[in-house]
Amino acid sequence: MESRTESKKEKPWSKQTARPSLRQTQHKFSRMMNDDSPDAFRNVSRKPGMQIWTINNMQLVPVPAQGFGNFFEGDCYIVLHISEKKGSGQSADIHYWIGNSSSQDEQGAAAIYVTQLDEYLGGSPVQHREVQGSESPRFRSYFKNGLIYKKGGVASGFRHVDTNAYNVLRLLHVKGRKHVTATEVEVSWNSFNNGDIFLLDMGKAIVQWNGPQSNRREKLKAVLLAQDIRDRERGGRAQIGVVEGGDEKDSPELMKVMTAVLGQRTGQLKDAIPDDKPDQVQNASVRLYHVFENSGNLVVQEVATQPLTQDLLHSSDCYIVDHRGSSVMVWKGKQASKEERQEALNRAVGYIKAKNYPSSTTVEVMTEGGESAMFKHLFKSWRDKGQTQGLGSTYSLGKIAKVDQVKFDVMELHARPELAAQQRMVDDASGDVKVWRIENLEPAEVNPSTYGQFYGGDCYLVLYTYQRSNQQQYILYMWQGRHATKDEITACAYQAVNIDNKYNGAAVQVRVVMGKEPRHFLAIFKGKLIIFEGGTGRPGVVNPDTGARLFQVRGTNELNTKATEVLARASSLNTNDVFLLKTDKICYLWYGKGCSGDERVMGRAMSDVLSRQDKQVVMEGQEPAEFWVALGGKAPYASDKRLQREEPPHSPRLFECSNQTGQFRMTEVDDFAQSDLDEEDVMLLDTWEEIFFWVGNLANQQETKEAWNSAQEYLRTHPAGRDPDTPIIFVKQGYEPPTFTGWFNAWDPHKWSGGNSYEEMKKKLSDAASISQITVDVNNANLNKSPGGMGGGSYRAPGGPLFTPSSPAGGTVSPSAGGSGMYLDPQLLINKSPSELPQGVDPSQREEYLSDVDFENLLGTTRPDFQRLPKWRQNDLKKKAGLF
């Protein structure tokens, strides 16, 4: 094609002149790993959710769920995220994460595993390269409570998280407002500064210290991270306290604990550390390159600059899209050669090096038919294969994403495991169901005739029993109403444990928050699941008469349908759904123009469950006057016909606009929801045909002014050549029009009337925590540090005093082998005479008191390899290290 002639500005890049540095490393291991790849991926699940592996001795090692969000800086990780896409089955993303201290060998092995995993899943996933500290918004969105960067790596002591272990002492430096990162730093006052937040984690106690210059949003995110550590790593058995750095005198007990660990603070703390440079959410310089073979050389040649059009991409070729200063994307045509497809990720890394781009530049690799939303946004127009106008279906290629265009047949679940995984169904939902409601903090059996009716003022326990391989299996759902009391929610969790104990702990416990019911939960009620906004289902209790009640019905069959009560106002309607309006005389079935025949059938069935009154079908646009009177009058609602598409040609994008870090930033929020709208900020929602400009009630005027200018600049510089006259709509919090709320799933009109603010969260922690108990636990268990450990985070396990900050020379040391002792600072052991060693240290076994990291650094080998060496060789290594 004519546009493929060599550009005068961009010379073709040849593989011979810019060979990726990882290539030799990858070649070194590729043959070895190819033979083992089937075994490596045998246990890969195709169910929606996340799976994580780390690289250990060039092998994939699964990371337990309790460890998700924790990343060792010396390692590489592979993260597989499978999600359900409305109308088009599943989509998969494979990320490989590179720690700052990881080896070239591990990076090469990770890249090979990513390619093999992609092939194993049919070539449909999008591949992403993530570098520590520069992770993509999508990657960060998986870890809502933040990322924790830990020192060391697999070879230096990685262990599965033990929720019963409290032998922890570390200081986490927390940064970020939307996407939080926490990095392990030296356990010392020297690590603190006035602008950030620090978590002093002592196992049974976590103290959050807020810098005087930190803001409410940062404090809230840090509290959520502390709670996540408590719940995920400590099984909920840890106390959390909060210290305001500007008012330390208000927390004397907690400051006493911090001083015991960190010592007396001398001098002033450092000033706030400036945040990183603003995220570059877009760049007008976009170039498309054709990747091809020429006389044995791999050539990358410019094809076109923005605005790009989809017809530039040919199925027989591979391409690189260079979104300069932001990301590099590789597109693989489905008819491209196998070698070209396998080399895609390697080429992208090599291209970055050839262009002298930062090593942290984002990399995405995708296959034709499985393009990411960001990739499509760089093209002026995009049409997916199978995309239709109005109601229709789309599909992508590959084992993960392909969806058969037939109705779901539950009988095929056992015959086709991949269908069971795709539908998130453990069985066909034909098992036994038993339901309890929490009444007076005790479980009370619910009358089976009312199964499926859930009230927002209650909590319920739902036990589902089914057969698998001739064995009884149990799932215990804990459904929490939005308006249930804190005591009821606590009792629900407590009683779930009691029921689980009756089955010897065999039940799978699932916490279900009102409005977030999983697919299988819907299925077990056979299309009769009704969620009432408030009230209670308790017998004998009369719920207040609220007049007309409106229910939104979503679903196409008995396995995926539910009716949710919404505000009985016209503004709650949506053209894509079925609604039931129940008055004291009649029940209206309102069919939106965008709903399907199957949805109408389920709406009719649901109306028979909800009401025994006469039913009247109302088509959108043909409503009688009485219908609008019952809703309080006619009003605008989400009726945009573009919302009828199962998947819009360009997915909407949400950006946070803020200057609270001292400089104006626009940060994209991936996989967004209403909860991502920050009251302290301005948000920009790009739906392609409009730009919504949402202003939180607590946003400052400067943010509002700068964001308005940025919205216009965003349009002007958009790489797809957007119309500069695209409407920009100004929206204030609490006054959102349906054209805005319609882009969010399950919009809650009551959200702004209350919620978990930082102050409320802090008060809950203060009410629940016993400060004196924290002090006792810390003094007796976790503050037994060595003198050298004051700065390095050394610790001993609970079990009795060893060293205390007030008496650094006392106590007796036992070795760390077996996990029963402690680690010492190497400086206490190297080139010391026996009399100079801490009391209790065996002079002939000093290496036993080293952490795995220090052991490998000093002796040049891992502890297991060292123990396999002959005695004379061990002594020789110890002598050279000054340990003998």
Side-chain angles (χ1 to χ4, degrees), residues 394-453:
T394 63
Y395 67 90
S396 300
L397 302 176
K399 297 177 183 177
I400 282 286
K402 182 173 175 58
V403 178
D404 292 336
Q405 300 303 307
V406 295
K407 287 190 176 182
F408 174 59
D409 182 359
V410 296
M411 298 303 293
E412 295 186 39
L413 278 172
H414 296 294
R416 297 178 56 196
E418 73 279 5
L419 184 63
Q422 179 180 306
Q423 298 293 336
R424 292 179 289 176
M425 299 283 286
V426 297
D427 69 343
D428 60 1
S430 61
D432 296 326
V433 180
K434 192 170 184 179
V435 183
W436 297 268
R437 180 172 41 248
I438 301 299
E439 299 180 8
N440 299 319
L441 308 186
E442 296 291 332
E445 291 192 23
V446 173
N447 189 323
S449 65
T450 63
Y451 278 10
Q453 298 177 27

Side-chain angles (χ1 to χ4, degrees), residues 812-829:
T812 301
V813 181
S814 56
S816 62
S820 60
M822 64 167 293
Y823 298 141
L824 294 178
D825 190 301
Q827 297 306 315
L828 297 173
L829 304 170

Side-chain angles (χ1 to χ4, degrees), residues 552-554 574-579 590-595 599:
Q552 183 177 26
V553 182
R554 283 189 167 174
N574 189 309
T575 192
N576 301 301
D577 295 320
V578 173
F579 285 80
W590 186 86
Y591 294 149
K593 294 179 179 178
C595 67
E599 289 171 323

Side-chain angles (χ1 to χ4, degrees), residues 113 172 275 311 420 475 659 722:
Y113 274 124
L172 296 175
D275 279 9
D311 59 3
I475 301 177
N659 69 353
R722 299 280 288 278

Side-chain angles (χ1 to χ4, degrees), residues 31 95 170 180 196 229 275 282 296 323 352 376 385 392 397 415 446 461 463 471 507 524 620 641 652-653 659 700 706:
R31 182 173 301 176
H95 304 255
R170 62 181 177 177
V180 173
D196 292 327
I229 294 173
D275 279 9
Q282 71 173 22
H323 194 188
I352 287 174
K376 296 175 186 177
K385 183 176 181 180
L397 302 176
V446 173
L461 292 168
L463 179 66
Q471 289 187 340
I524 61 180
E620 181 180 6
K641 288 183 171 54
R653 302 172 70 190
N659 69 353
N700 60 54
E706 292 191 60

